């Protein structure tokens, strides 16, 4: 005499297929944990024939090409959205919440864009809106931020949030290869898309960073609030210099709160080799969290892939189903405080600067004077190469980003500086111990 | 017109003090998250004068020396146990659950000893029993196992579960120092107890390993079911050999399920340097989880300390308070299936063996024959030193522990083997990618 809760699925690509497989594979355990049998009763797909041909353990007649029919179906108790994109996913989720149906989604783009509005819709309807799978795939990070650290104060979140770029940087670092070469390899192997912009440009990581920043600091941070730089300009030289100085180069999303302002940024950084994030290789993701009482935490795992994402979705489905049966709600996002976004110009950090220079007496003095004129102090400097390939490598002390940017502008205008080849931020303050 | 939920605290040492501090420091956020103000109304302590003198933000009259009075007080809605030990903590918690009061505890010893009975008491009473702080301090690991991975199948858990031993092994490895020397330093610095047995003997880790094994495999594993070896016999030579072969030495708790039998063991291992756990240094803890769909996950952070533990306790308090207000229960432990415990003799792994031998022709052949006679195949062997300090270093292929133990017995009886200096398990199968 088990109760039955009926799931409606929006989208049935590889993640959706994984969700169906997991829900039908662990029936007894899931029933024990939720207090109800979970049945997938409706699935919206683009192509009925293709969906039926996949041999998923559901009957043919659950498929429909009309996603609204899934949401509106009075037989559907819980809606799972794995179709992706802003539209029509956003409207469908809003409607499901309005109908009092809890929603589970893996849609980072949508949560980054409309999260606060959807949290509020869920609150108004008294049901759950869960999105563990939207950030860092299988890694439980939303739940720890919303629940485990609910009584603590998070001060900083640093995440390796994109598997493709971490794969590319790992290969570049271990093989001494250049960006274009590794990207081409990654595309051939299926680790990078034909159009890799969303990954290598940092857009994907920025959406996730916005979600994490909002949760960590109880405020609203949109993807467009996140300062963003990609990895396309990273060279083998940058990685070589980093290695020599005891750093690795990683594309990270960093969210922090300083004086009631929230900073959120995605860009490549020099990270000390001893930092727990430094050993995150290949396509793995990890999120490092600093909290006042808990101290340093890190969550590591597969940030993408059909089954890891499906695992996170099903964990959420079990959670919202248990709550629905008890007419309860799980942990909600905290009060959303209005906090200002800290502009990138106000960032205080160290910098690595690589300059192609004329190999002549006085260039170092000129360069040093330019830094000094803008209030940026140099911690380390040396020359590499000679003649046409002469380069100056500089590491600054902590400086204000705005001052550094002005320095770079002035350097670029100098007659004995041929080009500013690289500028990267150095996160030496984020140590493990 | 906020509702108020009243907390009764059993014990008020450094963790209890931290709980009081956190609950009174983040009042608005906590109220928003739970839907009620949380007030600490009763605290059981040993010494009233000492407790009052600590200047905690509570009035003097909340303190009592009678823990039963806290549990029985009709004004107490939620009981938080941070006194530790089996007795009277166990009886007090049982009574609180019987009275329909949810309980939060940080007591690993008790949960390892009586967990299943307490889960059942909580289930019968329809309230929560939460113990995130009992395993690995601030690291959220109970919640991920109970909730995030509820729809997945965990295949293995490997944890660095004790900070003291990880600190000692890190120092031994980085300074090339011997065990006794580093232990004495650690004791002087307060990183190790005057009587370090619970830590260095693996007892503390075994209790945590039992809790993790029970949760991961939906069964009952007691601390006494966990095979246990400590680190007192580890030498600088072992660490040097490990380093040369690309390993680090870590004390880990490993729980795995093979053919419906659960193996749970705590002992030092050779772990590949590329493994995510290998870079966990000093007093940090980490738990590595392999699940069928999610793949490899790792959770890292401070496994002990007053404020990290208090942070985990308060996370749980907020959770059970929210559920109590909704007359709901959070995720419960899954059905407890009766599964046999796999004896250590049936373990299949690789081994490192260090032998002090007579430096004479034929000893290698004799040793190799002894391994072969017991069905243990040698992967690598070399001699170190000469004369009186001649040693053979051997790494085996995967072998059955029972066969290896018989081999070791036979080696110890050989006339040209002076002693079996070290035997350690090599976990080369647990790779990150």
């Amino acid at each position: 005499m088990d109760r039955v809760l009926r799931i409606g699925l929006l989208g049935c690509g590889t993640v959706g297929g994984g969700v169906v497989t997991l829900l039908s594979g662990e029936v007894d355990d899931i029933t024990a944990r939720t207090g109800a049998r979970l049945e997938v009763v409706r699935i919206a797909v683009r192509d009925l024939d293709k969906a039926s041909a996949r041999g998923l353990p559901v009957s043919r007649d659950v498929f429909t090409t009309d996603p609204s029919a899934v949401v509106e179906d009075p037989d559907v108790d819980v809606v799972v959205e794995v179709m992706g994109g802003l539209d029509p996913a956003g409207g469908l989720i809003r409607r499901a919440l309005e109908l009092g149906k809890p929603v589970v989604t893996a849609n980072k783009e949508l949560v980054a864009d409309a999260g606060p509005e959807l949290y509020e819709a869920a609150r108004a309807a008294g049901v759950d809106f869960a999105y563990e799978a939207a950030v860092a795939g299988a890694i439980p990070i939303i739940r720890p931020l919303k629940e485990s650290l609910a009584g603590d104060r998070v001060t900083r979140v640093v995440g390796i949030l994109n598997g493709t770029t971490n794969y590319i940087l790992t290969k570049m670092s271990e093989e001494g290869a250049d960006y274009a070469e590794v990207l081409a390899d990654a595309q051939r192997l299926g680790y990078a898309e034909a159009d890799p912009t969303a990954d290598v440009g940092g857009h994907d990581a920025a959406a996730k960073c916005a979600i994490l920043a909002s949760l960590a600091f109880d405020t609203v941070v949109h993807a467009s609030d996140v300062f963003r730089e990609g990895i396309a300009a990273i060279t083998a030289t940058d990685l070589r210099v980093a290695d020599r100085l005891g750093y690795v180069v990683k594309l990270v999303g960093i969210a922090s709160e300083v004086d009631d302002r929230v900073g959120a940024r995605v860009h490549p950084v020099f990270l000390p080799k001893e930092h727990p994030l430094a050993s995150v290789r290949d396509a793995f993701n990890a999120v490092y969290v600093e909290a006042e009482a808990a101290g340093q935490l890190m969550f590591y795992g597969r940030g993408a892939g059909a089954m890891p994402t499906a695992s996170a979705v099903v964990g959420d489905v079990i959670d919202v189903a248990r709550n629905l049966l008890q007419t309860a709600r799980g942990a909600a996002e905290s009060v959303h405080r209005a906090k200002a976004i800290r502009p990138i110009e106000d960032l205080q950090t160290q910098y690595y600067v690589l300059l192609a220079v004329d190999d002549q007496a006085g260039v170092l003095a000129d360069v040093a004077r330019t830094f000094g004129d803008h209030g940026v102090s140099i911690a380390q400097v040396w020359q590499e190469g000679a003649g046409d390939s002469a380069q100056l490598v500089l590491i600054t002390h902590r400086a204000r980003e705005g001052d550094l940017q002005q320095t770079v502008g002035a350097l670029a205008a100098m007659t004995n500086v041929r080009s500013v080849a690289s500028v990267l931020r150095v996160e030496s303050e984020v140590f493990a111990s």
Side-chain angles (χ1 to χ4, degrees), chain A:
Chain A
M1 51 159 282
D2 281 339
R3 290 191 54 177
V4 175
L5 276 185
R6 293 152 306 182
I7 314 290
L9 205 58
L10 302 175
C12 199
T14 55
V15 173
V19 169
V20 172
T21 305
L22 287 178
L23 283 175
S24 60
E26 301 281 337
V27 173
D28 290 350
D29 268 5
I30 292 173
T31 305
R33 282 175 198 273
T34 47
R37 261 188 319 120
L38 303 184
E39 264 179 29
V40 179
V41 296
R42 294 288 263 169
I43 304 179
V45 295
R46 283 220 195 117
D47 182 329
L48 287 178
D49 292 335
K50 248 171 81 177
S52 302
R54 287 174 60 198
L56 289 171
V58 287
S59 78
R60 266 165 173 278
D61 55 12
V62 306
F63 293 108
T64 168
T65 53
D66 177 7
S68 284
V70 173
V71 170
E72 302 286 345
D73 189 336
D75 272 359
V76 167
D77 302 306
V78 175
V79 171
V80 176
E81 186 272 307
V82 285
M83 63 203 300
L86 294 181
D87 190 52
L92 293 163
I93 290 176
R94 279 180 200 95
R95 177 65 182 148
L97 293 171
E98 208 175 277
L99 291 167
K101 303 182 183 190
V103 173
V104 174
T105 181
N107 192 330
K108 63 178 171 288
E109 196 187 345
L110 180 65
V111 178
D113 184 70
E117 180 203 331
L118 297 171
Y119 310 157
E120 186 44 46
R123 192 188 315 263
V127 294
D128 287 330
F129 173 63
Y131 49 95
E132 183 67 78
V135 180
I139 307 174
I141 180 63
I142 303 301
R143 208 174 255 107
L145 283 176
K146 279 207 307 199
E147 302 181 24
S148 313
L149 293 168
D152 206 334
R153 184 180 288 272
V154 174
T155 51
R156 173 148 60 176
V157 178
V158 185
I160 293 177
L161 301 170
N162 180 272
T164 302
T165 47
N166 203 55
Y167 175 85
I168 291 173
L169 290 172
T170 303
K171 290 290 164 221
M172 285 177 69
S173 155
E174 294 179 358
E175 294 166 9
D178 256 315
Y179 170 75
E181 194 182 324
V182 176
L183 173 61
D185 271 356
Q187 285 170 320
R188 210 177 44 245
L189 294 167
Y191 289 117
E193 308 277 342
D195 176 1
T197 317
D199 293 318
V200 302
H203 302 272
D204 172 78
K208 296 166 184 170
C209 185
I211 297 172
L212 292 177
S214 302
L215 270 180
F217 305 115
D218 304 334
T219 187
V220 177
V221 178
H222 290 290
S224 56
D225 296 325
V226 180
F227 172 82
R228 189 179 46 71
E229 266 175 21
I231 64 162
I234 305 283
T235 65
T237 305
D238 298 332
L239 293 172
R240 196 165 38 75
V241 171
D243 182 60
R244 192 191 313 167
L245 294 172
Y247 297 100
V248 295
V249 177
K250 295 287 184 193
L251 181 74
V252 294
I254 304 181
S256 61
E257 183 174 347
V258 179
D259 300 333
D260 273 334
R261 294 193 303 171
V262 172
R265 49 199 169 101
V266 167
H267 54 72
V269 291
F270 275 27
L271 207 62
K273 286 179 185 172
E274 302 77 32
H275 193 281
L277 287 172
S279 53
V280 176
R281 297 171 62 248
D282 295 337
F284 278 87
N285 282 21
V287 182
Y288 173 84
V289 178
E290 286 175 1
E292 274 181 10
Q296 300 146 331
L297 298 167
M298 189 176 79
F299 306 82
Y300 165 98
R302 296 203 179 271
M307 292 313 287
T309 306
S311 173
V313 168
V314 172
D316 272 352
V317 168
I318 292 171
D319 227 23
V320 308
R322 191 185 52 247
N323 288 332
L324 184 64
L325 285 170
Q326 304 184 93
T327 55
R329 287 190 77 215
E333 291 68 24
S334 172
V335 281
H336 283 80
R337 305 164 180 276
K339 288 180 187 165
I341 301 296
R342 184 181 51 188
I344 191 71
E345 288 73 19
D346 285 356
L347 175 67
Q348 298 267 356
T349 192
Q350 288 185 268
Y351 297 84
Y352 145 77
V353 178
L354 183 70
L355 303 175
V357 293
D358 287 341
D359 189 9
Q360 60 189 45
V363 62
L364 178 56
D366 288 351
V367 164
R369 193 176 317 113
T370 304
F371 276 85
D373 286 350
H374 294 89
V376 178
S377 159
I378 297 169
Q380 251 182 302
V381 57
W382 71 89
Q383 179 172 335
E384 299 221 329
D388 279 357
S389 66
Q391 291 184 312
L392 283 183
V393 182
L394 299 110
I395 304 287
T396 74
H397 285 297
R398 273 170 75 87
R400 206 180 141 265
E401 170 101 9
D403 296 337
L404 191 281
Q405 285 177 4
Q406 295 212 332
T407 310
V408 168
L411 289 167
M414 285 170 64
T415 51
N416 47 2
V417 170
R418 280 177 292 134
S419 73
V420 180
S422 300
V423 180
L424 287 170
R425 295 167 193 86
V426 178
E427 289 285 325
S428 55
E429 78 222 83
V430 277
F431 272 91
S433 56

